[in-house]
Amino acid sequence: MASFKFAAAALLSLGATSAWQTRTSFISSTPRQIQKSAIQTASLYRNHHALHKRSSLSMVVTDPTAPAIGKGGMFTASNAENRRVVPEDVRGRPTMKIVYVVLESQYQSSMTAAAKRINAGSDNMAVECVGYLLEELRNEDAFEQFKKDMAEANIFIGSLIFVQELAEKVTEVVQPLRDQLDAVLIFPSMPEVMRLNKVGSFTMKNLGQSKSVVADFMKKKKQEDGSSFEEGMLKLLRTLPKVLKFLPSDKAADARTFMMSFQYWLGGSPQNLESLLLMVGQDYVAPIKESMKGKDKVAVEEPVLLPDKAIWHPVAPDIVFETNEKYFEWYNKEFCPDAGIDPATAPTVGIILQKSHINTKDDTHYVSLIAELESRGARVVPIYSGGLDFSGPVEDYFYNSMGKPIVDTVINLTGFALVGGPASQDHKKAAAVLKKLNVPYMCAVPLVFQSFEEWQASELGLHPIQVALQVSLPEIDGAIEPIIYAGREGATGRSVPLADRVNLLADRAMKWANLRTKKAGDKKIAITIFSFPPDKGNVGTAAYLDVFDSIKAVLKQLKTEGYDVGDAPDSKEAIMEAVLNDPEARISSPELNVAYRMSTDEYYELTPYAKDLEENWGPAPGNLNSDGQNLVIYGKQFGNVFIGVQPSFGYEGDPMRLLFAKSASPHHGFAAYYTYLEKVFQADAVLHFGTHGSLEFMPGKQVGMSGTCYPDRLINSLPSAYLYAANNPSEATIAKRRSYSATVSYLTPPAENAGLYKGLKELKELISSYQGLRENEGRGPAIINSIVSTAWTCNLDKDIDDLPDLETYDAKNDTLERRDEIAGKVYAQIMQIESRLLPCGLHTVGVPPTAEEAIATLVNIAQLDRPEDKIEGIPRVIAASIGRDINDVYRGNNNGVLADVELNEKITMASRAAVRALVDQSTDANGRVKEVKNFFDEVGGIFGSLLGAKKPWTQAIINAGFPNVSEERLAPVFAYLEFCLKQVVANNELPGIMELLNGQFLMPAPGGDPIRNPDVLPTGRNMHALDPSAIPTTAAVEVAEDVVRKLLEKLADENDGAYPESIAFTLWGTDNIKTYGESLAQVLALVGVRPVADSLGRVNKVELIPLEELGRPRIDVVVSCSGVFRDLFINQMNLMDRGIKMAAEADEPLEQNFVRKHALEQAEELGVSLREAACRVFSNSAGSYSANVGLAIENGGWEDETQLQDQFLTRKGFAFNADKPGMMEQQADLFKSALKKVDVTFQNLDSSEISITDVSHYYDSDPTKVVQGLRDDKKKPMSLMADTTTANAQVRTLAETVRLDARTKLLNPKFYEGMLSTGYEGVREIQKRLRNTMGWSATAGEVDNFVFEDANDVFINDPEMQQRLLNTNPNAFRDMVTTFLEANGRGYWETSEENIERLQELYAEVEDRIEGV
C-alpha cells in the first residue's frame, strides 16, 4: 500500500477515500458525469474551511495498518497504555486518578484531551487518567493492570458494558472497591453494572429490584412508548427538574450531578468531559475537596450539547440542521451546484450515524463515505440520534413535507440494530419503520475490538462479539450487507476509513438505489442456476424446488411488471431446452448452451484478481468451463434477462484437492462467470435461484469480508437476491454475510404421511384382522403366523429383536400375551413407517399449497405442545379426555404395547379429522384455500354455541370415538391453527423477489422448521437466523435433557448398565436454529454443565452441575461443528469449550468424570497442559466448509475409504480454544487422540423435511469408521440418531434410521411417484437418495443389503420404470446405474450375476443414448 502519510494528506484535502486506491465504479452514471462530479466534490471538500475546524481528518497521522505495540487481548492488540495520561508537573496540587472502561474507542481522544487541559490549566487539581476497551479485559495481563489501576483510583467511569462475562469481570473488581472510591459513574450498561453507580448519596443499588423514582420513571417510559434504557435516561434528563422535586435536597444535588455527568458524557467533546471531571473532582474527591476549603469552587460550564437528533453534514456552515427543510435549503441550493450534483435527478442515500462520533469529532470514516457517495453524483441525508433508537430521526428526516420518502437507499453506519442498539432491541418496530420507508437498508460495520491488521490477518474476520451485536441483530431488523468500512487507528483509538471497503459500500449503495430509479424495461437481470454435482442431468439443482417451473413463473411476473424478457418461452420444457442444449452442437451433446466466449485477454483485463487464481489452477483458460482458447459462459439470454449456469467448485473429482485442509480458490471459469455478469452483460442485479450454489462457500473470512476474500471479489458491486429454502436459515445466513445477498425464502413441499405399500400394507391389514379375532384359538394363531412370515419378507427382523424364527415358530403353541406382544411390536414398526413425514414432490415458486397439503402441515403443527403460548397439542387434549397422558401413550406405543399402538393411531386419526374440519370451512371448489374464514369471530359460530352446537372440529373428534373431549381446552390450539392456515396459504414469494429487484425493503422473517415455528410463514421474506446469544433456550435445555436421558438409558441397557465414556457429536447450524439450540444443550448436558442466562436473557456463561445432582458420571464428548455452525455460533463454541474445560479441571474421581480422565491421559501422551488437552470442539479452518466426503462420493472421486477418513481428519481437525478464540488452530493429533477414545457416534434429526438420505451433509460429517480406524481395539463404535421430528422424540441406531428412511422414501411409491410427477428434476432427486444411501455404507457401514436389492427391483428390474427414468432424465438415470455398479464394486451390495450384467448392459445403452448414437 502507498505511504499512509501521503494517503492521509490526500484524505485531508479531498475528504474522500479515492486517494488510497483506484477502483472502477459500475454505476448508472456515465464516466464523464462521475468524473465531473468527483472533481467538483473533491474541490469543495478541499476548500471548505469548516471541515478543518470540525472534522477529525487532520488528526489522522499514523498508519492504521501498522502493528500495534504492546500486549493485546484475544483480538485486541490495542494497549491501555496508549490511553494513560500522567501529569508532567503536579505543582503541589492533589491528583485524582480516573479509570474508565468503554465498549468503543471514540471517547479515548476526548478523555485524553480533557485530562491534559486540566493538568495544564487548573490550579485546584491534577488528573491521572487511564482507559480500557471492554474487550481488552479478556487478556490476563491487561486485567491484572486494570485491577492495579482500580486499587489506586478515585473515580471509575463505565459505559455500554453489555457483554456478560466482561460485565462480571468489571463488577468483580469494582464492587469490593466501591465504598473506597469517591465516585462511580456508570452510563447505560448491564443492570448489575449500573447498580455500582455511586455519586454521594445517589445510587442505583435497587435498579431492577424495588421501587425507586428513576426505575419507576424508566418503567413508565417503556410502557408509554417502548423506550430503551438509554432513551429513558435521555427523557429523564429533559424532565429532571420535575423528578428532583420528589427527592430530599442532598439526594437531589447528588442525583443532579449524576444526570449532569451523563449529559457531559453524551456531549462527548474534550470541553464537556473536562467539565465532567472538574465537577465530580471538586464535589466528591476527598483530597481535592480538602484542598479547596475556603476557596471558591470553579464555575463549571453547562454541557454543550448538540440536539438529540438532527441532520449533520461535514461541510455545512451550521453544525446541524433540525429540520430537513433547512438542510435542503442549504444542500440543494448551495452545496449540490458547487459539487456538480443535480438535486432533481440524483439518487439520494440516507445515512444513519452515531452521535458520539460527531460529539467527539471522531468522524473521518463518516466524512469518507459521504464524500465517496457525493463524488458518484448522489445526494446524502446523514442523520443521528442521541439515544439508541433511530426510528424517530428516520421518520423525521427521510420523508418530505408530503410524507413521501426522499431517500432511495439507507446505510446504517453505526452497525447497531435500528431500535435499541446493543442493549435491548425492538425488531418489530424497526421492521415496521423500514417497511414504511420501503427502500434497501444496508447496515455497515466499523471495527471496534480489532485493529486493521488483526482483522486483515484473521481468518475468522470480524470479532465474535461484534458479529453477535452488529451483524446478527441488524439482520433481524431486515438489514443486508454487513460490509466492514472503518477501523481504529492504534495509538489514538480514532476511526479511520478502509479505502477499498468504503468504495465498495458506495458502489453497492448506488446499485441498490439504481434498482429503485431505473425503468423496469431498461433493467438487466441475471438469473443464476446451479448444477451440482456438475453434470448435464443436474442443471437446475435446488433443494425441494422445481427450478425451471419456478423460472417460468418469475419470467411471467417480470413481463407483467414491464421488464424486457424478449422471446422467453412460456413452458418449463422450452426454457429448459434453451439452457441445456446448444443448437450449434451435435444432437444430445453434453455441452450446455454457450451464451458467451470470453477470450483470455478480455478475462485478464476485466478480472483484477485473475492472477491470484493461477496458484491453484495455472494460467487461464484452464480446462474447466473452457473450450481450450476461451472461457465459456453457459446460459441463455432472453431480452434483458440472462439465465446462466454457475460453474462448480472444480475440484469435486480430484482426490488430492479434496484432501487439502483448506479449500482452493475459485477456478478461472467461475471467476469469468461473475465477471461476465457484472462487466459484459452489465446486470443490474443477480437472482441466485434456489438452495444452493458455491459462491457463498468460496474461501475467505467467516464474516466481515476483506477485498481479498473470494465471495467479495466475485460478487463485487452486483446486488444479489437469493432464493433460499425457508428451512435452511443457516446457509442462507452465510449467503447474506459472505456474498452480500438479500434472501427470499421459499416453501418446502408440504410433508405428508409416508403411508404403506406392498408387504407393509398387507401387514397392517393382517393386524387389523387379528384385533378382531385375537381370542379365536383357530384363526388368531394362524394370522400371527402370517404376520411373522410377512414381517420377515419385509426385513422387519432387523428392527424387531425377538421376532420369532420363521422355520420353527408356530403361534398356536404360544400364549395370548406373547401373540399380542408380537402383533404390537410389528404394528409399532409399521405405524412408525406409515406416520413418518415426507415432503412430496417439489415446490414451484408462487404456488401456495392446496387445502389437502395445508391439512398435512397443520396436523403436524397441531401435535406439538407450545407451553410458552399456553397451547396444548390436539393429541394431549384428546388423550386427557379418556384419562390418559399422551406421553404414556407414546411410551407404550414405542414399546410395542398393542393397546397403546392402537390408541395412538386412533388419536392421530381423530386429530387429522379435526384439522380437516377446520380447513374444509375455507376450501373452495378447486380444492384451494383462498380466504380463511375466521370461525372464532363468525356470528354463526356465536348462534351455534348458543344452541349448544359443537364446533366442527370438536364434532369430528367426537365422531372419531372421543365423546368427552373438552371444547374449551381445544379452543387455543384451533385459534392458533386458524392463524397458521392463513400463513401457510399466503402467496408472497413472487412479490418478495420483485420487491428486491425493484429496490424495495423486503420484510424480515426467521428461517427454520414451519412446524416447530410457524412464524417462518408466509415465505417470500428476507430470512434471518436468530440472535446467537439467545440459545440454548430453557425449552431447548429441557428437551435436550430428555434426549440425553433416553440416549444414556439405551446405551446402559445394551452395555450391562455401564455408561459410555466418550460420545462423538456432530453439530449443525440449521438444526440449532430450528430447535433453538437443542443439540448444543445436549453436549452441555452430557458433560454435566448448565447454560446460565444473564440479566438481559442472553446465554453467555455456564456452570458445573455438582455430581450429586447429576447422579451419573460426566460423559466426555468430541464435538465436530459444521463450517456453518462455526460461522453462526462461534460464541456458543466458546461456551462449550469453557464448559468442557470446567469439567476437565474439576477435582473429582476419574470414574465419575470421564472428561477429566481422558484429558489427563492426553496431556501426558501429547506433552501439553490439561487445559489444552481438554479441547473438544473442532471444525474446519475458517472459510472452509465440510469434510469433502460428500463431494468425493457424489462425484465418484475417491479411491477407497481410507481417503475419505483422511479427508475427515485433515479438514475437520481445527480446534476452537476459548483461551485464544481469534483463530481455528490445526490440532490433528489432539483430534485423533480424542476420537480414539469414542464409544458412540451421535447425530440429531430435527425436522421431517431433511432426513439422512436427503442431503450428503449428515454422512459427510459422520466419524463412525474414522473412530473404528483410530481405536486401539479397532471396534466399531455404536452409531445412534436422536429423532425429534415429532412430539414423540426417540433415539434409534443409525442402521434403524437408514432403514426407516429407505422404506419411507427411496422404496416408497408415494415418494418416488411424487418426484417423477415433476419430470426431469424428479429423476435427479431419486438418484440423489440412492447415492446418499451409499454414502452411509462408505462412512458408517450401516446400510442393509436389502435396501440396494429392493431399490434395484423397483428402478432397474421393472422395464416400464426403467424406460420412464431413461426418457425423463437420461443423465441422472446413467448416474443411478453407475451408483448400483459402484455399490457392488465397493462391496456394499451383494447381488446376483444376472443383476450386474443387466446393469452393465444398461450403462452401455444409456451412454449411447446420451451420445446420440
Side-chain angles (χ1 to χ4, degrees):
M1 188 185 259
S3 155
F4 175 76
K5 305 290 185 291
F6 168 77
L11 251 177
L12 184 58
S13 63
L14 289 178
T17 54
S18 42
W20 289 25
Q21 183 179 331
T22 312
R23 180 187 178 115
T24 312
S25 290
F26 296 95
I27 51 178
S28 52
S29 317
T30 66
R32 186 169 292 143
Q33 284 174 319
I34 292 171
Q35 191 180 10
K36 176 177 169 231
S37 177
I39 291 167
Q40 287 175 283
T41 308
S43 113
L44 194 66
Y45 274 75
R46 189 185 302 115
N47 297 332
H48 213 292
H49 70 284
L51 179 65
H52 297 283
K53 279 200 306 196
R54 293 199 356 256
S55 168
S56 56
L57 279 169
S58 51
M59 302 180 192
V60 182
V61 291
T62 53
D63 183 348
T65 56
I69 298 159
K71 290 191 173 179
M74 319 177 318
F75 278 82
T76 315
S78 53
N79 187 346
E81 294 310 306
N82 292 330
R83 285 173 235 113
R84 190 178 294 279
V85 177
V86 179
E88 289 173 17
D89 182 1
V90 175
R91 304 200 309 271
R93 297 169 294 175
T95 301
M96 70 168 169
K97 181 167 180 176
I98 293 153
V99 179
Y100 64 93
V101 173
V102 287
L103 180 72
E104 299 179 87
S105 62
Q106 64 263 40
Y107 276 88
Q108 176 182 340
S109 55
S110 290
M111 280 296 274
T112 301
K116 286 181 175 176
R117 285 166 68 138
I118 292 171
N119 289 337
S122 170
D123 295 329
N124 300 321
M125 65 183 84
V127 174
E128 182 185 337
C129 174
V130 62
Y132 291 84
L133 294 185
L134 183 60
E135 200 59 29
E136 286 169 348
L137 299 183
R138 290 185 192 274
N139 178 279
E140 284 189 25
D141 294 347
F143 189 54
E144 286 308 311
Q145 186 58 51
F146 172 60
K147 285 182 184 170
K148 284 181 193 160
D149 282 324
M150 280 305 303
E152 302 163 355
N154 300 91
I155 293 171
F156 174 69
I157 301 174
S159 176
L160 295 185
I161 299 172
F162 282 115
V163 180
Q164 176 68 32
E165 63 264 44
L166 299 175
E168 288 169 11
K169 284 191 151 193
V170 170
T171 310
E172 173 195 327
V173 174
V174 179
Q175 183 71 54
L177 301 171
R178 186 171 175 275
D179 290 345
Q180 76 183 51
L181 286 160
D182 295 307
V184 179
L185 295 168
I186 309 289
F187 306 123
S189 293
M190 303 281 291
E192 60 266 44
V193 188
M194 293 294 291
R195 286 197 281 271
L196 296 170
N197 262 307
K198 176 185 108 164
V199 183
S201 59
F202 174 83
T203 75
M204 287 194 182
K205 269 199 290 201
N206 299 328
L207 184 73
Q209 292 178 345
S210 63
K211 284 185 79 65
S212 75
V213 175
V214 174
D216 287 351
F217 182 86
M218 300 295 187
K219 210 171 281 174
K220 186 159 168 274
K221 291 311 294 176
K222 186 157 182 66
Q223 283 162 356
E224 280 172 20
D225 54 11
S227 303
S228 69
F229 185 86
E230 183 157 331
E231 300 302 316
M233 293 283 270
L234 285 169
K235 285 164 187 156
L236 183 52
L237 291 179
R238 291 183 213 117
T239 52
L240 193 62
K242 296 178 206 162
V243 173
L244 297 180
K245 276 188 218 161
F246 301 109
L247 296 173
S249 56
D250 57 332
K251 281 197 172 180
D254 294 331
R256 184 177 180 281
T257 302
F258 174 75
M259 289 300 173
M260 289 290 284
S261 303
F262 188 34
Q263 284 191 308
Y264 284 126
W265 184 259
L266 288 174
S269 64
Q271 299 89 323
N272 278 313
L273 297 188
E274 181 185 4
S275 300
L276 163 63
L277 301 183
L278 287 170
M279 175 183 76
V280 177
Q282 66 186 9
D283 286 348
Y284 296 96
V285 177
I288 298 172
K289 280 168 72 178
E290 187 62 34
S291 74
M292 288 184 68
K293 276 186 180 166
K295 292 188 195 174
D296 288 340
K297 282 188 181 179
V298 176
V300 179
E301 289 180 29
E302 286 293 306
V304 181
L305 297 177
L306 292 175
D308 276 348
K309 56 185 175 183
I311 304 175
W312 171 87
H313 192 285
V315 298
D318 295 319
I319 295 183
V320 294
F321 300 87
E322 292 196 67
T323 68
N324 54 15
E325 287 83 5
K326 285 182 186 167
Y327 174 68
F328 283 118
E329 179 72 23
W330 165 74
Y331 191 67
N332 287 347
K333 292 182 180 172
E334 294 181 39
F335 181 89
C336 287
D338 290 350
I341 297 168
D342 178 359
T345 59
T348 304
V349 181
I351 305 176
I352 297 172
L353 312 173
Q354 206 167 327
K355 187 182 175 208
S356 58
H357 282 281
I358 295 166
N359 287 332
T360 57
K361 299 186 172 50
D362 178 21
D363 55 18
T364 319
H365 51 327
Y366 294 166
V367 176
S368 172
L369 180 69
I370 288 168
E372 280 298 337
L373 287 164
E374 289 171 340
S375 76
R376 285 160 171 73
R379 298 193 309 165
V380 296
V381 187
I383 65 170
Y384 70 77
S385 167
L388 295 170
D389 182 348
F390 293 93
S391 60
V394 164
E395 298 268 7
D396 291 347
Y397 302 128
F398 286 168
Y399 292 88
N400 64 17
S401 55
M402 312 294 291
K404 193 168 173 256
I406 48 178
V407 293
D408 297 302
T409 304
V410 172
I411 310 174
N412 181 345
L413 292 184
T414 71
F416 288 122
L418 191 73
V419 180
S424 53
Q425 299 75 35
D426 187 340
H427 297 297
K428 277 190 175 155
K429 179 179 177 184
V433 166
L434 292 166
K435 186 61 200 169
K436 181 183 162 197
L437 191 65
N438 206 22
V439 302
Y441 173 61
M442 304 162 77
C443 193
V445 185
L447 295 173
V448 174
F449 303 131
Q450 295 149 285
S451 67
F452 283 88
E453 184 164 86
E454 288 167 300
W455 165 71
Q456 200 75 46
S458 164
E459 290 184 338
L460 292 177
L462 190 61
H463 190 291
I465 297 289
Q466 261 199 282
V467 174
L469 292 179
Q470 293 186 294
V471 178
S472 299
L473 296 176
E475 281 172 350
I476 302 173
D477 289 346
I480 54 174
E481 308 207 4
I483 296 170
I484 308 287
Y485 73 99
R488 334 186 240 98
E489 189 271 319
T492 65
R494 302 195 74 82
S495 300
V496 187
L498 284 164
D500 74 314
R501 306 287 81 203
V502 170
N503 267 309
L504 179 73
L505 186 55
D507 282 348
R508 294 190 64 81
M510 293 296 282
K511 281 280 189 89
W512 277 110
N514 177 50
L515 284 174
R516 252 187 101 63
T517 53
K518 197 171 186 177
K519 279 187 190 155
D522 297 337
K523 274 191 255 188
K524 289 186 165 186
I525 305 299
I527 294 175
T528 293
I529 59 178
F530 314 119
S531 174
F532 197 81
D535 178 89
K536 192 166 178 175
N538 292 327
V539 173
T541 322
Y544 287 124
L545 188 65
D546 190 329
V547 169
F548 288 106
D549 214 22
S550 298
I551 288 176
K552 182 185 93 173
V554 170
L555 287 171
K556 185 178 172 190
Q557 187 67 31
L558 285 168
K559 189 173 182 179
T560 305
E561 297 201 18
Y563 285 73
D564 175 4
V565 300
D567 56 354
D570 56 3
S571 86
K572 165 185 169 175
E573 290 70 25
I575 296 167
M576 198 158 81
E577 181 64 26
V579 175
L580 288 186
N581 292 321
D582 185 349
E584 305 300 314
R586 284 179 299 117
I587 186 132
S588 296
S589 154
E591 184 85 333
L592 303 174
N593 188 62
V594 175
Y596 188 76
R597 295 183 194 273
M598 185 181 288
S599 72
T600 50
D601 287 350
E602 184 183 20
Y603 167 67
Y604 278 110
E605 184 190 337
L606 295 180
T607 314
Y609 53 90
K611 285 277 181 204
D612 295 354
L613 310 185
E614 292 182 2
E615 182 189 346
N616 278 304
W617 302 99
N623 58 4
L624 294 161
N625 288 67
S626 145
D627 61 9
Q629 271 81 46
N630 307 292
L631 287 150
V632 177
I633 311 301
Y634 294 121
K636 181 73 177 173
Q637 188 169 339
F638 300 109
N640 281 341
V641 178
F642 172 66
I643 301 172
V645 183
Q646 185 191 74
S648 65
F649 282 113
Y651 49 76
E652 295 87 350
D654 182 340
M656 281 312 295
R657 286 185 197 274
L658 290 171
L659 196 53
F660 292 159
K662 298 185 179 182
S663 300
S665 70
H667 56 81
H668 295 294
F670 202 101
Y673 178 78
Y674 281 93
T675 296
Y676 169 78
L677 295 188
E678 184 179 28
K679 298 174 187 177
V680 180
F681 176 65
Q682 296 189 331
D684 291 294
V686 58
L687 171 59
H688 287 98
F689 218 88
T691 307
H692 61 72
S694 314
L695 169 68
E696 60 270 39
F697 296 102
M698 285 295 171
K701 298 183 189 305
Q702 244 174 244
V703 185
M705 303 285 106
S706 73
T708 57
C709 295
Y710 285 108
D712 178 285
R713 286 173 150 183
L714 291 157
I715 198 69
N716 197 32
S717 71
L718 271 176
S720 168
Y722 209 137
L723 203 52
Y724 239 92
N727 65 355
N728 194 346
S730 61
E731 289 178 318
T733 303
I734 303 297
K736 288 174 85 123
R737 296 177 186 178
R738 301 188 86 240
S739 64
Y740 310 141
S741 297
T743 55
V744 187
S745 61
Y746 65 83
L747 206 57
T748 47
E752 295 181 28
N753 289 94
L756 298 172
Y757 52 93
K758 298 181 182 167
L760 297 170
K761 193 172 183 183
E762 191 185 323
L763 269 175
K764 187 175 182 188
E765 288 160 4
L766 284 168
I767 289 166
S768 183
S769 306
Y770 174 73
Q771 285 164 321
L773 298 165
R774 52 190 283 275
E775 292 182 5
N776 180 321
E777 281 303 322
R779 301 282 302 284
I783 296 171
I784 289 292
N785 285 340
S786 298
I787 288 172
V788 170
S789 165
T790 312
W792 276 93
T793 309
C794 294
N795 297 289
L796 290 182
D797 55 300
K798 312 263 189 314
D799 303 277
I800 301 168
D801 292 340
D802 50 356
L803 188 68
D805 184 271
L806 193 56
E807 304 299 320
T808 58
Y809 181 73
D810 188 344
K812 71 169 185 286
N813 302 326
D814 222 334
T815 62
L816 179 61
E817 289 73 22
R818 172 69 182 136
R819 294 200 293 260
D820 280 357
E821 190 185 325
I822 293 166
K825 285 188 172 173
V826 173
Y827 197 5
Q829 275 303 320
I830 58 172
M831 287 316 299
Q832 195 167 244
I833 295 165
E834 182 180 38
S835 62
R836 184 92 171 154
L837 296 170
L838 66 136
C840 280
L842 298 170
H843 175 67
T844 298
V845 166
V847 180
T850 62
E852 201 57 42
E853 289 165 341
I855 289 168
T857 302
L858 291 180
V859 166
N860 302 321
I861 290 173
Q863 67 165 319
L864 297 178
D865 296 322
R866 299 173 198 272
E868 65 283 4
D869 297 318
K870 300 187 170 51
I871 293 171
E872 295 179 290
I874 298 177
R876 183 169 300 283
V877 178
I878 295 175
S881 75
I882 54 166
R884 291 291 303 272
D885 181 318
I886 192 66
N887 294 359
D888 290 339
V889 177
Y890 290 150
R891 208 167 292 122
N893 175 82
N894 298 348
N895 292 333
V897 175
L898 186 57
D900 283 344
V901 181
E902 283 178 49
L903 177 59
N904 189 32
E905 194 194 359
K906 192 176 168 189
I907 290 172
T908 305
M909 299 313 287
S911 302
R912 197 165 294 152
V915 171
R916 181 176 296 282
L918 170 77
V919 176
D920 281 350
Q921 309 292 316
S922 308
T923 304
D924 66 13
N926 300 320
R928 291 207 168 269
V929 177
K930 284 282 188 285
E931 190 183 338
V932 177
K933 291 187 181 152
N934 190 334
F935 211 87
F936 285 86
D937 294 343
E938 294 250 330
V939 178
I942 296 167
F943 284 124
S945 56
L946 289 175
L947 297 169
K950 296 283 185 194
K951 297 274 194 299
W953 49 83
T954 315
Q955 195 56 53
I957 295 171
I958 292 169
N959 296 348
F962 298 97
N964 299 323
V965 70
S966 161
E967 186 158 86
E968 193 182 331
R969 276 179 77 173
L970 287 171
V973 69
F974 276 93
Y976 185 64
L977 290 175
E978 199 169 86
F979 159 76
C980 292
L981 179 59
K982 288 175 188 166
Q983 308 305 310
V984 169
V985 299
N987 181 8
N988 200 47
E989 291 170 359
L990 285 172
I993 292 169
M994 296 314 300
E995 281 180 25
L996 290 180
L997 298 183
N998 294 330
Q1000 296 170 337
F1001 177 78
L1002 184 57
M1003 281 295 277
D1009 179 358
I1011 289 166
R1012 283 174 185 265
N1013 179 14
D1015 288 345
V1016 168
L1017 304 168
T1019 47
R1021 294 181 291 168
N1022 187 1
M1023 184 169 30
H1024 58 75
L1026 39 73
D1027 174 359
S1029 61
I1031 68 168
T1033 59
T1034 312
V1037 170
E1038 284 173 15
V1039 174
E1041 284 170 352
D1042 187 45
V1043 169
V1044 164
R1045 181 183 53 74
K1046 285 179 177 171
L1047 169 67
L1048 293 177
E1049 277 174 9
K1050 186 173 181 86
L1051 290 167
D1053 283 352
E1054 299 191 12
N1055 203 18
D1056 300 325
Y1059 286 105
E1061 291 197 4
S1062 179
I1063 296 180
F1065 234 88
T1066 308
L1067 291 187
W1068 301 102
T1070 287
D1071 297 12
N1072 278 283
I1073 293 172
K1074 288 179 184 173
T1075 64
Y1076 298 94
E1078 277 176 21
S1079 46
L1080 164 69
Q1082 289 165 4
V1083 171
L1084 298 174
L1086 283 165
V1087 173
V1089 294
R1090 69 165 64 92
V1092 180
D1094 65 20
S1095 46
L1096 296 177
R1098 299 175 310 193
V1099 183
N1100 285 320
K1101 65 183 221 182
V1102 285
E1103 63 185 21
L1104 214 55
I1105 300 169
L1107 281 173
E1108 311 79 73
E1109 187 185 330
L1110 195 61
R1112 59 165 172 81
R1114 300 188 194 283
I1115 312 295
D1116 197 6
V1117 289
V1118 184
V1119 186
S1120 176
C1121 302
S1122 73
V1124 174
F1125 184 94
R1126 174 207 61 213
D1127 285 6
L1128 299 187
F1129 296 118
I1130 196 116
N1131 291 315
Q1132 274 56 33
M1133 288 169 78
N1134 191 325
L1135 209 62
M1136 284 189 288
D1137 187 65
R1138 279 162 38 208
I1140 291 163
K1141 284 177 174 154
M1142 218 180 256
E1145 290 176 331
D1147 188 6
E1148 294 169 343
L1150 299 186
E1151 69 277 5
Q1152 286 297 302
N1153 185 337
F1154 300 137
V1155 185
R1156 182 172 177 78
K1157 176 186 171 185
H1158 295 160
L1160 286 167
E1161 289 168 4
Q1162 286 171 277
E1164 192 174 334
E1165 173 196 337
L1166 300 170
V1168 295
S1169 70
L1170 176 68
R1171 273 186 82 76
E1172 282 179 84
C1175 282
R1176 292 286 184 275
V1177 182
F1178 297 88
S1179 186
N1180 296 79
S1181 76
S1184 292
Y1185 300 84
S1186 94
N1188 281 351
V1189 170
L1191 278 180
I1193 287 173
E1194 284 165 344
N1195 293 279
W1198 56 297
E1199 287 158 21
D1200 57 23
E1201 288 178 5
T1202 313
Q1203 179 200 319
L1204 302 180
Q1205 290 157 29
D1206 287 346
Q1207 279 177 214
F1208 179 87
L1209 291 166
T1210 309
R1211 288 184 59 84
K1212 302 300 278 188
F1214 288 77
F1216 179 87
N1217 185 344
D1219 300 333
K1220 36 185 172 181
M1223 57 205 277
M1224 298 294 300
E1225 202 171 26
Q1226 185 141 30
Q1227 290 274 21
D1229 290 343
L1230 184 60
F1231 190 37
K1232 288 176 189 172
S1233 162
L1235 283 170
K1236 70 190 282 191
K1237 298 179 188 304
V1238 163
D1239 305 306
V1240 177
T1241 62
F1242 184 78
Q1243 294 200 51
N1244 282 280
L1245 269 184
D1246 63 276
S1247 94
S1248 53
E1249 300 135 335
I1250 300 177
S1251 190
I1252 63 168
T1253 60
D1254 293 328
V1255 290
S1256 60
H1257 303 54
Y1258 287 111
Y1259 71 76
D1260 180 272
S1261 287
D1262 177 70
T1264 305
K1265 284 189 177 176
V1266 175
V1267 170
Q1268 182 180 10
L1270 291 171
R1271 279 181 67 108
D1272 294 335
D1273 59 8
K1274 300 301 176 206
K1275 180 183 165 195
K1276 191 158 98 173
M1278 190 171 184
S1279 270
L1280 294 176
M1281 285 244 156
D1283 181 345
T1284 57
T1285 57
T1286 65
N1288 181 14
Q1290 298 195 47
V1291 175
R1292 299 187 182 94
T1293 66
L1294 175 57
E1296 284 173 325
T1297 312
V1298 172
R1299 286 194 293 272
L1300 184 58
D1301 225 45
R1303 285 172 177 142
T1304 51
K1305 288 192 173 150
L1306 186 63
L1307 306 175
N1308 184 356
K1310 189 170 184 178
F1311 174 78
Y1312 59 71
E1313 289 296 347
M1315 283 300 172
L1316 284 174
S1317 68
T1318 65
Y1320 164 89
E1321 284 101 341
V1323 183
R1324 184 179 63 222
E1325 290 292 324
I1326 296 166
Q1327 152 55 12
K1328 186 168 85 174
R1329 301 304 184 294
L1330 181 68
R1331 176 65 65 170
N1332 289 339
T1333 302
M1334 189 183 76
W1336 284 109
S1337 294
T1339 62
E1342 295 287 347
V1343 184
D1344 292 287
N1345 202 68
F1346 84 83
V1347 174
F1348 291 113
E1349 195 68 26
D1350 287 5
N1352 184 67
D1353 286 344
V1354 171
F1355 301 112
I1356 305 296
N1357 287 356
D1358 177 345
E1360 190 185 327
M1361 174 63 81
Q1362 204 187 90
Q1363 281 309 305
R1364 282 173 71 192
L1365 298 170
L1366 180 58
N1367 294 336
T1368 312
N1369 188 335
N1371 296 73
F1373 182 58
R1374 175 183 58 186
D1375 291 348
M1376 180 183 281
V1377 174
T1378 308
T1379 305
F1380 279 118
L1381 288 168
E1382 192 179 340
N1384 174 256
R1386 292 188 188 275
Y1388 303 142
W1389 172 41
E1390 285 179 30
T1391 191
S1392 66
E1393 283 298 318
E1394 183 191 346
N1395 277 342
I1396 298 303
E1397 281 166 19
R1398 184 185 295 110
L1399 285 161
Q1400 288 164 342
E1401 285 163 16
L1402 252 182
Y1403 184 83
E1405 185 188 323
V1406 183
E1407 277 285 272
D1408 289 349
R1409 173 80 168 270
I1410 289 171
E1411 294 297 329
V1413 176

